């Protein structure tokens, strides 16, 4: 080194320069409360040796203002029905919500739970999960799902306020969302819906930190996000996400807006970390012992790991009790309210007394009349009985109302002008629809159902999966369920979708064969309180195959529809529209002196729950033949190693349905020939 040359000072990034300026501001008590979130986030991720410290560190200020000044909540009763809903859409930053629950005095999120962050059986899971703690409103992590679910929560609040009045239902929905949430396509669908419905009690705090896993968001995003949301019909604001008073002013404005509000909180990811702040390095990995200690030192945080000074803890616990008086006043109003019993019933998810009487009458009529109708029409007939009897049933369709047959005559649409309506025109937003339905169910007081074509379940799959994971009662009516839809061709003919849905744990997939099985499937879906259901329904007319309406035989998943005339030589097992084919094949085989039974298998998941003795009695020990206008995947479970499958081997084609069944060999003649080759 030349004698008169001095070492150059490393150039400071704009984020680190901004951080220095923010840290130089006077440290207020509220800033120290935010620092408690930061410190606990650092500690949790360091202890787990994995996690995402950057978002909680960056959004701690905005979250503190929200939790201490605006969120209507009482830590003593986190399931109070008229509480505000808080959704951490950026679920990877889960230590933010765990720190809040811990600091504000919620039972079940003590320091030991925080120490076990991301460990087996800890309620402080890697991403927030419903059921792990009552203060967690929804499972989040798959980006875009949280904000979209929150739209459904806000819709539920507006509908229930129209039904029960503001004295019982008057709360807000708050979201913390990330850059990634707003990039995901589902968030575009949901934001458009929220603007269209004018959900003024929905507020999204966008963690506008300009960082994603790959680095600066400028490498992949260049649109004007606020302009986009403004075009959706939202109110938008931009604030310094580390300025508590600016944040409070924006949140206050949001509470007065008649539009949903997006607040862009310009933050520094990993705030206070001297080297990793403002970089992707603080997003999804521990800071490391040296950087963690330096980050705490920059904050002036001297407490040990998972320790919080008494004055800060007392302030947080006071914030957790802030809504106690409001809750007690609400309870007094509830006690005197003329709709108390109905409100409590609906919010508890209990069905009305004799809710199934009307559908029992419809089944009896159908047995007598034996209508030959498509199961999508049979579904509408079932809904005509159920919807008047179960006021919390809210239907809808993704712009296919006349095809899905999910509407009921005389039931008005839900709209910005009439939130008391019970039918939602979701538009062509299948993914947003499914997520919002999850939000409605999670909110409570609503059993959502809606429709689209089965082939478009691919668009909805992440939300259906989350409904199953969260064990929420939502019902998806998925029509045009096979090559039977005909001329629209292979783009609209779902051949792999039944298998793809059946593989989702805790999802009940019903493919009914006729009007009675359809009514039974609806009974089971509405009654089911621990998970979602799919009804896969035909476009084409199907004959009535059931001659009884007493016992709900679909409840066992599968049953012998028509027994063999003698000792079985084969068992024909079919679902949906192919049960008709199985019965025709049975008649031909019986005439040829080959006794065979027909088994209808409308719900594999329920059948799997039956005991082995029942399985053996239904399926028998003879040759098993599966018949379904879909791919074979999964059928080996029921057919065994020596079974035969009659179905699709690839994609469909464009032609009338009857021609397609012949072309692809899904006919009674094909079944008869296959059986004869094996049993003769």
């Amino acid at each position: 080194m030349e004698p008169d040359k001095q070492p150059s000072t490393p150039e400071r990034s704009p984020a680190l320069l901004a951080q220095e300026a923010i840290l130089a501001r006077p440290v207020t008590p509220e800033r120290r409360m935010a620092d408690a979130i930061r410190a606990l986030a650092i500690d949790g991720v360091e202890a787990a040796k994995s996690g995402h410290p950057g978002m909680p560190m960056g959004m701690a200020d905005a979250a503190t203002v929200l939790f201490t000044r605006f969120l209507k909540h009482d830590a003593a009763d986190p399931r109070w029905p008229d509480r505000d809903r808080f959704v951490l859409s950026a679920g990877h930053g889960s230590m933010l919500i765990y720190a809040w629950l811990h600091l504000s005095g919620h039972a079940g999120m003590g320091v030991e739970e925080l120490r076990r962050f991301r460990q087996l059986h800890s309620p402080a899971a890697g991403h927030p999960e419903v059921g792990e703690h009552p203060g967690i409103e929804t499972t989040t992590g798959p980006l875009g799902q949280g904000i979209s679910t929150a739209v459904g929560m806000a819709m539920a609040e507006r509908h229930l306020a129209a039904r029960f009045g503001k004295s019982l239902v008057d709360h807000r929905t708050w979201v913390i969302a990330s850059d990634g949430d707003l990039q995901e396509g589902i968030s575009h669908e949901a934001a458009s819906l929220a603007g269209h419905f004018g959900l003024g009690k929905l507020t999204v705090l966008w963690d506008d930190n300009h960082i994603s896993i790959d680095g600066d968001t400028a490498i992949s995003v260049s649109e004007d996000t606020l302009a986009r949301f403004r075009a959706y019909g939202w109110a938008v604001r931009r604030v310094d996400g580390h300025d508590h008073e600016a944040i409070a002013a924006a949140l206050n404005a949001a509470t007065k807006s008649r539009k949903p509000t997006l607040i862009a909180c310009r933050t520094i990811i990993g705030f206070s970390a001297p080297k990793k702040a403002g970089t992707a390095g603080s997003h999804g990995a521990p800071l490391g012992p040296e950087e963690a200690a330096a980050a705490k030192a920059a904050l002036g945080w001297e407490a040990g790991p998972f320790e919080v000074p008494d004055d800060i803890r007392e302030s947080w616990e006071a914030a957790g009790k802030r809504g106690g008086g409001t809750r007690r006043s609400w309870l007094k109003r509830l006690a005197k309210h003329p709709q108390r019993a109905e409100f409590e019933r609906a919010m508890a998810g209990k069905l009305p007394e004799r809710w199934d009487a009307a559908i029992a009458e419809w089944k009896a009529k159908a047995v007598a009349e034996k209508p030959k109708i498509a199961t999508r029409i049979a579904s509408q007939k079932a809904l005509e009985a159920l919807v008047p009897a179960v006021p919390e049933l809210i239907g809808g369709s993704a712009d296919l109302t006349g095809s899905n047959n999910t509407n009921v005559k005389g039931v008005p649409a839900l709209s910005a002008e009439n939130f008391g309506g019970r039918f939602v025109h979701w538009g062509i937003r299948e993914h947003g629809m499914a997520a919002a339905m999850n939000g409605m169910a999670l909110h409570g007081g609503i059993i959502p159902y809606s429709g689209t074509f089965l082939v478009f379940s691919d668009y909805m799959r992440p939300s259906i999966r989350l409904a199953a994971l969260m064990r929420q009662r939502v019902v998806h009516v998925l029509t045009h369920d096979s090559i039977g839809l005909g001329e629209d061709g292979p783009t609209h003919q779902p051949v792999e979708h039944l298998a793809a849905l059946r593989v989702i744990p805790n999802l009940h997939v019903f493919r009914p064969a006729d009007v009675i099985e359809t009514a039974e499937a609806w009974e089971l879906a509405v009654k089911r309180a621990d998970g979602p259901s799919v009804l896969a329904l035909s476009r084409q007319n199907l004959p009535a195959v059931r001659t009884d309406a007493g016992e709900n035989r679909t409840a066992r998943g599968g049953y012998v529809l028509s027994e063999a005339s003698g000792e079985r030589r084969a068992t024909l097992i079919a679902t949906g529209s192919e049960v008709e084919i199985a019965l025709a094949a049975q008649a031909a085989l019986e005439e040829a002196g080959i006794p065979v039974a027909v088994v209808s298998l409308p719900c594999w998941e329920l059948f799997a729950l039956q005991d082995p003795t029942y399985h053996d009695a239904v399926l028998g020990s003879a040759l098993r033949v599966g018949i379904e206008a879909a791919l074979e995947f999964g059928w080996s479970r029921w057919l065994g190693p020596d079974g035969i499958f009659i179905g699709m081997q690839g994609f469909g084609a464009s032609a009338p349905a009857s021609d397609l069944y012949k072309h692809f060999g899904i006919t009674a003649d094909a079944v008869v020939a296959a059986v004869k080759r094996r049993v003769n």
Side-chain angles (χ1 to χ4, degrees):
M1 180 184 295
E2 296 180 25
D4 44 343
K5 288 251 181 150
Q6 298 299 317
S8 60
T9 303
E11 186 176 343
R12 309 287 283 166
S13 72
L16 290 178
L17 290 172
Q19 176 169 279
E20 289 175 2
I22 295 166
L23 287 170
R25 296 172 184 171
V27 178
T28 64
E30 201 168 35
R31 216 302 291 279
R32 294 189 74 218
M33 293 175 73
D35 289 344
I37 292 177
R38 293 186 176 99
L40 289 173
I42 292 170
D43 293 339
V45 175
E46 289 297 313
K49 296 182 173 56
S50 71
H52 301 75
M55 191 285 280
M57 294 170 71
M59 279 298 283
D61 295 301
T64 298
V65 175
L66 172 63
F67 295 149
T68 60
R69 301 198 209 179
F70 290 89
L71 189 76
K72 185 173 75 169
H73 194 84
D74 184 2
D77 185 3
R79 304 309 293 173
W80 164 34
D82 200 37
R83 69 192 179 278
D84 284 356
R85 269 57 171 180
F86 169 67
V87 173
L88 184 66
S89 192
H92 54 274
S94 56
M95 270 304 302
L96 185 148
I97 194 169
Y98 303 146
W100 165 57
L101 293 171
H102 170 72
L103 291 165
S104 56
H106 285 74
M109 195 60 75
V111 70
E112 290 307 311
E113 283 73 24
L114 297 187
R115 290 182 186 276
R116 293 190 298 111
F117 175 52
R118 296 171 75 94
Q119 306 308 302
L120 188 63
H121 304 311
S122 172
H127 292 84
E129 294 182 23
V130 161
E132 293 296 333
H133 189 279
I136 298 170
E137 300 284 2
T138 181
T139 297
T140 56
L143 292 176
Q145 291 290 334
I147 183 175
S148 306
T149 300
V151 170
M153 292 179 178
M155 291 174 68
E157 189 275 342
R158 292 288 75 208
H159 173 77
L160 292 171
R163 180 179 173 189
F164 293 107
K166 288 183 65 176
S167 64
L168 292 187
V169 184
D170 186 14
H171 53 266
R172 307 186 67 84
T173 304
W174 306 92
V175 180
I176 288 180
S178 64
D179 290 296
D181 282 299
L182 302 192
Q183 290 175 39
E184 286 285 0
I186 186 175
S187 72
H188 296 239
E189 295 182 21
S192 175
L193 273 167
H196 173 72
F197 286 119
L199 300 177
K201 300 179 83 171
L202 171 67
T203 301
V204 176
L205 291 87
W206 166 30
D207 181 18
D208 181 20
N209 62 36
H210 293 201
I211 295 294
S212 61
I213 291 174
D214 283 355
D216 195 302
T217 54
I219 64 176
S220 59
V221 178
S222 56
E223 79 260 17
D224 184 336
T225 300
L226 295 188
R228 173 160 63 86
F229 272 76
R230 190 181 294 112
Y232 290 144
W234 288 55
V236 299
R237 297 176 71 93
R238 187 181 295 280
V239 300
D240 175 349
H242 301 288
D243 183 333
H244 288 223
E245 294 311 313
I247 296 162
L251 292 174
N252 187 55
T255 64
K256 296 177 171 59
S257 176
R258 301 178 71 175
K259 300 177 179 180
T261 300
L262 176 72
I263 302 171
C265 302
R266 186 70 178 96
T267 63
I268 298 171
I269 191 172
F271 179 79
S272 80
K275 296 177 182 177
K276 294 185 177 182
T279 73
S282 66
H283 170 81
L287 296 178
E290 182 180 331
E291 184 79 351
K296 288 184 177 182
L299 297 170
W301 190 265
E302 298 177 352
F306 298 103
E307 293 179 2
V308 178
D310 290 344
D311 61 327
I312 299 176
R313 184 174 294 281
E314 288 169 5
S315 295
W316 267 114
E317 289 179 354
K321 298 173 182 175
R322 191 173 60 88
T326 304
R327 180 176 66 88
R328 288 187 288 273
S329 295
W330 180 87
L331 287 170
K332 291 176 182 177
R333 294 197 301 274
L334 175 66
K336 299 175 182 177
H337 201 282
Q339 292 176 281
R340 174 184 177 178
E342 181 69 358
F343 177 81
E344 291 181 330
R345 180 197 63 75
M347 293 302 293
K350 296 179 180 178
L351 296 170
E353 290 186 17
R354 291 184 50 78
W355 66 273
D356 52 354
I359 200 165
E361 292 177 12
W362 159 241
K363 286 194 296 182
K365 181 180 179 183
V367 165
E369 296 180 354
K370 298 179 175 55
K372 183 176 182 179
I373 55 177
T375 50
R376 61 178 176 141
I377 304 296
S379 171
Q380 187 171 38
K381 297 290 187 183
L383 284 170
E384 287 171 355
L386 285 168
V387 169
V390 184
E392 51 268 34
L393 273 170
I394 307 293
S397 172
D399 199 54
L400 290 167
T401 301
S403 296
N404 301 145
N405 302 95
T406 46
N407 58 323
V408 173
K409 187 176 180 181
V411 173
L414 185 150
S415 67
E417 294 74 34
N418 179 21
F419 280 111
R422 294 176 60 195
F423 188 85
V424 183
H425 292 286
W426 293 101
I428 306 166
R429 303 183 182 98
E430 295 89 353
H431 200 180
M433 171 180 74
M437 289 168 65
N438 290 348
M440 288 177 162
L442 286 159
H443 179 281
I446 291 176
I447 301 173
Y449 73 90
S450 64
T452 187
F453 291 164
L454 176 59
V455 76
F456 299 141
S457 62
D458 282 342
Y459 290 163
M460 308 158 65
R461 185 180 180 83
S463 297
I464 295 175
R465 180 179 184 270
L466 280 181
L469 178 62
M470 296 188 291
R471 310 186 76 82
Q472 293 303 300
R473 176 163 45 187
V474 298
V475 185
H476 295 284
V477 178
L478 303 178
T479 69
H480 297 58
D481 69 345
S482 70
I483 60 170
L485 71 86
E487 293 86 345
D488 277 348
T491 59
H492 283 54
Q493 291 167 1
V495 294
E496 76 275 29
H497 297 71
L498 287 169
L501 291 168
R502 284 168 176 157
V503 80
I504 296 176
N506 198 40
L507 175 66
H508 288 180
V509 181
F510 295 94
R511 190 166 186 250
D514 73 348
V515 62
I516 297 299
E517 282 194 357
T518 303
E520 290 178 340
W522 262 114
E523 281 184 288
L524 295 167
V526 169
K527 186 163 58 175
R528 187 183 187 210
D530 63 350
S533 302
V534 159
L535 275 67
L537 306 175
S538 75
R539 176 181 185 267
Q540 72 273 33
N541 291 336
L542 303 178
V545 298
R546 281 280 293 280
T547 57
D548 62 294
E551 175 193 359
N552 186 322
R553 303 185 76 186
T554 300
R556 302 195 76 171
Y559 58 94
V560 178
L561 177 63
S562 178
E563 188 53 272
S565 60
E567 183 179 349
R568 289 189 201 178
R569 303 291 302 282
T571 301
L572 311 182
I573 310 166
T575 76
S577 47
E578 287 69 69
V579 171
E580 173 187 12
I581 293 172
L583 289 168
Q586 179 193 40
L589 287 165
E590 290 277 357
E591 190 173 338
I594 304 173
V596 300
V598 172
V599 167
S600 179
L601 202 65
C603 184
W604 290 18
E605 297 76 29
L606 289 175
F607 189 66
L609 295 175
Q610 309 307 309
D611 61 69
T613 303
Y614 183 76
H615 287 169
D616 293 343
V618 171
L619 300 177
S621 57
L623 171 69
R624 298 175 185 177
V625 182
I627 313 164
E628 188 170 66
L631 297 182
E632 184 177 1
F633 192 87
W635 270 95
S636 60
R637 181 178 189 180
W638 311 122
L639 301 183
D642 300 320
I644 298 171
F645 179 72
I646 306 292
M648 298 295 293
Q649 305 300 318
F651 292 111
S654 176
S658 58
D659 294 345
L660 290 172
Y661 273 87
K662 292 174 186 174
H663 175 74
F664 290 109
I666 308 173
T667 63
D669 289 343
V671 175
V672 169
V675 171
K676 285 182 175 179
R677 282 194 297 269
R678 290 286 294 274
V679 302
N680 285 337

